[in-house]
């Protein structure tokens, strides 16, 4: 048997591997604190759950249009208008089973041998995996601690080549929590006027998780006019409404790409399950208190986590401005990112993810998700401190 060569180029997400190992250790009777996986530890708001149950009771059991039911796409457009004062047609929205599917659709749409796709490094590992899958050139761009892990527009523009077809941006970012300042977003959009062959995929899945101030977010959506026909927005419900397991996301597509995105949906998943789509409407149209409560909780835990990490000799951590990840610098420990990930899990019972799981520029860093209880974070920090002090050479 021989599988297609492209299958062998697929990467993975270490978070799922670490989760499996953590479960195995738990089955052996160890207590593991899981700061590895990236999902809110809150339940989905009850009114959202009720809407799905009602949809099932009301008989919404069948296929839906591949691009999603119209009332959901209209609710997304109303949300876009509420947040960014932009009017878009529901025809440009494609509902998908999770934000990841918009990512896969866009990368498969643009990537092929002889082309280049730019993506953040460190960044969500599926970008690189899928770019590799398509045969496009891997054009990772570094995000650096000295820039608070935000992109610099000038750097990105300088990296564009005639072969660049797609530029992937992610803010707030996984795994660093970096948030692009509004001025850099504007500068990038202005600079892209010189590169009309480049389409932007803005992964805004954490847009409601800007942790400081009132949460105001520098989206690409206000630049729909300037980036006519070449801006794709990846958004969804997973992180905002604690709905990772429901599998629901939305993409805003240039009008001329909607049919292609929909055709890929028809060829793969047909549609998102109907009840989940009704839950999505309830989430967007219902009370938003739970969203704000989660944001406040993540801010408090971020502060706890960062302060605790900075008290541990050998570690230093800048304050992540968004999402729910801390990305401490571990280079002074003398361990590689992979070593510290493995040893913390096996010896200290703390699941974290090596920075290198997110690209080579992640060496020297570790990702900790602070989507966990205050007690779990405090206990994990104690265990990490004890582990590192036991390893340190005694004077
Ligand atoms: N984009 C980023 C940056 C993420 O971190 C994730 C999930 O971790 C996703 C997209 C995918 O989200 P979903 O679970 O909705 O597919």
């Amino acid at each position: 048997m021989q599988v297609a060569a492209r299958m062998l180029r697929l990467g993975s997400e270490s978070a799922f591997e670490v989760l499996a190992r953590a479960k195995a250790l738990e089955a052996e009777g160890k207590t593991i604190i899981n700061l590895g996986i990236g999902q809110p530890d809150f339940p989905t708001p009850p009114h959202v759950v009720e809407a799905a149950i009602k949809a099932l009771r009301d008989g919404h059991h069948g296929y839906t249009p591949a691009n999603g039911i119209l009332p959901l796409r209209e609710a997304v457009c109303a949300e876009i208008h509420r947040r960014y004062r932009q009017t878009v047609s529901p025809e440009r929205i494609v509902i998908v089973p999770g934000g990841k599917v918009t990512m896969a659709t866009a990368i498969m749409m643009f990537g092929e041998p002889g082309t280049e796709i730019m993506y953040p490094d460190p960044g969500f590992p599926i970008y690189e995996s899928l770019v590799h899958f398509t045969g496009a050139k891997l054009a990772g761009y570094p995000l650096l601690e000295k820039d608070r892990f935000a992109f610099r527009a000038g750097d990105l523009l300088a990296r564009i080549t005639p072969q660049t077809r797609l530029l992937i941006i992610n803010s707030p970012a996984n795994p660093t929590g970096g948030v692009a300042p509004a001025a850099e977003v504007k500068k990038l959009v202005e600079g892209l006027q010189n590169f009309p062959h480049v389409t932007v995929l803005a992964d805004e899945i954490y847009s409601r998780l800007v942790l400081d101030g009132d949460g105001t977010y520098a989206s690409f959506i206000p630049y729909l006019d300037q980036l006519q026909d070449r801006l794709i927005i990846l958004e969804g419900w997973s992180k905002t409404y604690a709905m990772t397991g429901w599998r629901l996301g939305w993409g805003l597509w240039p009008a001329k790409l909607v049919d292609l995105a929909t055709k890929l949906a028809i060829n793969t998943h047909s549609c998102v399950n109907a009840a989940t789509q009704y839950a999505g409407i309830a989430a967007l149209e219902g009370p938003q208190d739970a969203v704000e409560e989660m944001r406040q909780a993540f801010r408090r835990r971020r502060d706890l986590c960062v302060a605790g990490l900075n008290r541990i000799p050998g570690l230093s951590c800048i304050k992540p401005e968004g999402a729910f990840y801390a990305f401490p610098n571990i280079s002074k420990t003398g361990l590689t990112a992979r070593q510290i990930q493995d040893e913390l899990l096996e010896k200290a019972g703390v699941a974290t993810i090596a920075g290198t799981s997110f690209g080579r520029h992640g060496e020297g860093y570790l990702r900790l998700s602070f989507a966990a209880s205050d007690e779990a974070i405090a206990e994990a920090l104690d265990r990490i401190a004890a582990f590192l002090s036991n390893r340190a050479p005694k004077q």
Side-chain angles (χ1 to χ4, degrees):
M1 186 179 64
Q2 195 174 346
V3 300
R6 64 176 175 273
M7 293 306 292
L8 307 177
R9 296 197 298 265
L10 277 175
S12 187
E13 235 187 291
S14 310
F16 287 101
E17 286 155 26
V18 170
L19 184 65
R21 181 71 192 132
K23 293 276 172 230
L25 289 168
E26 274 172 348
E28 288 168 18
K30 305 223 166 74
T31 62
I32 305 294
I33 301 174
N34 195 345
L35 304 188
I37 198 85
Q39 63 180 339
D41 58 323
F42 296 96
T44 304
H47 68 278
V48 177
V49 177
E50 288 307 320
I53 294 169
K54 180 171 185 309
L56 287 172
R57 292 219 165 100
D58 289 350
H60 294 291
H61 301 163
Y63 292 124
T64 77
N67 55 341
I69 55 174
L70 182 59
L72 178 57
R73 288 182 286 117
E74 284 173 342
V76 168
C77 292
E79 170 81 352
I80 291 171
H81 191 264
R82 203 163 33 241
R83 294 184 67 195
Y84 305 115
R85 299 280 148 219
Q86 293 286 316
T87 304
V88 298
S89 157
E91 297 306 312
R92 291 179 60 184
I93 305 297
V94 180
I95 304 296
V96 278
K100 236 180 201 175
V101 179
T102 300
M103 187 184 300
T105 306
I107 293 172
M108 286 199 265
M109 204 179 279
F110 287 95
E112 62 184 328
T115 67
E116 285 183 28
I117 296 184
M118 292 170 61
Y119 56 88
D121 174 358
F124 189 54
I126 300 304
Y127 305 138
E128 180 169 291
S129 165
L130 285 169
V131 173
H132 205 193
F133 177 76
T134 66
K137 185 173 164 202
L138 302 174
Y141 58 85
L143 292 178
L144 305 175
E145 185 177 354
K146 74 173 176 55
D147 300 322
R148 305 192 64 75
F149 298 112
F151 71 78
R152 282 175 298 116
D155 174 56
L156 295 194
L157 294 166
R159 288 171 185 273
I160 291 175
T161 75
Q163 286 72 44
T164 308
R165 280 197 183 161
L166 188 65
L167 165 59
I168 302 175
I169 303 284
N170 174 218
S171 165
N174 179 2
T176 61
V179 175
E184 289 301 303
V185 174
K186 184 165 185 279
K187 209 164 135 193
L188 182 61
V189 171
E190 282 164 3
L192 282 169
Q193 304 311 310
N194 298 322
F195 302 101
H197 62 291
V198 176
T199 294
V200 173
L201 169 63
D203 181 342
E204 305 195 342
I205 196 94
Y206 295 100
S207 69
R208 301 283 296 271
L209 285 171
V210 173
L211 298 176
D212 295 307
D214 64 358
T216 300
Y217 172 59
S219 168
F220 278 78
I221 293 179
Y223 297 102
L224 274 169
D225 282 346
Q226 287 90 328
L227 291 176
Q228 280 273 350
D229 295 338
R230 55 190 181 110
L231 175 62
I232 303 164
I233 302 287
L234 181 164
E235 259 274 17
W237 286 257
S238 297
K239 318 286 175 173
T240 304
Y241 298 100
M243 288 178 73
T244 51
W246 293 71
R247 310 313 299 139
L248 187 63
W250 57 266
L252 168 59
W253 290 82
K256 64 182 180 189
L257 298 182
V258 169
D259 283 351
L260 288 178
T262 306
K263 222 186 251 180
L264 199 56
I266 293 169
N267 275 269
T268 52
H269 54 267
S270 297
C271 62
V272 173
N273 82 72
T276 290
Q277 296 191 49
Y278 284 92
I281 299 175
L284 291 177
E285 293 184 346
Q288 302 295 301
D289 325 13
V291 178
E292 182 57 16
E293 280 162 24
M294 281 192 269
R295 192 177 77 93
Q296 299 288 350
F298 289 138
R299 172 162 57 199
R300 198 190 61 246
R301 292 163 177 187
R302 185 253 339 244
D303 293 344
L304 262 176
C305 188
V306 170
L309 286 166
N310 282 321
R311 277 195 294 270
I312 300 176
L315 303 186
S316 65
C317 187
I318 64 167
K319 213 182 228 191
E321 292 165 33
F324 37 63
Y325 308 107
F327 204 58
N329 187 322
I330 52 117
S331 51
K332 293 217 173 75
T333 63
L335 293 168
T336 65
R338 185 58 204 249
Q339 281 169 332
I340 200 162
Q341 170 199 291
D342 291 348
E343 294 201 19
L344 279 177
L345 181 57
E346 303 291 332
K347 298 184 182 159
V350 182
T352 61
I353 313 282
T356 41
S357 299
F358 305 94
R360 66 188 176 88
H361 290 281
E363 185 53 274
Y365 298 91
L366 195 63
R367 190 191 81 171
L368 284 77
S369 161
F370 48 81
S373 69
D374 295 15
E375 298 72 37
I377 292 168
E379 171 69 17
L381 292 169
D382 284 349
R383 289 188 187 192
I384 295 171
F387 164 75
L388 286 175
S389 89
N390 288 338
R391 272 197 88 263
K394 300 280 177 282
Q395 303 295 318

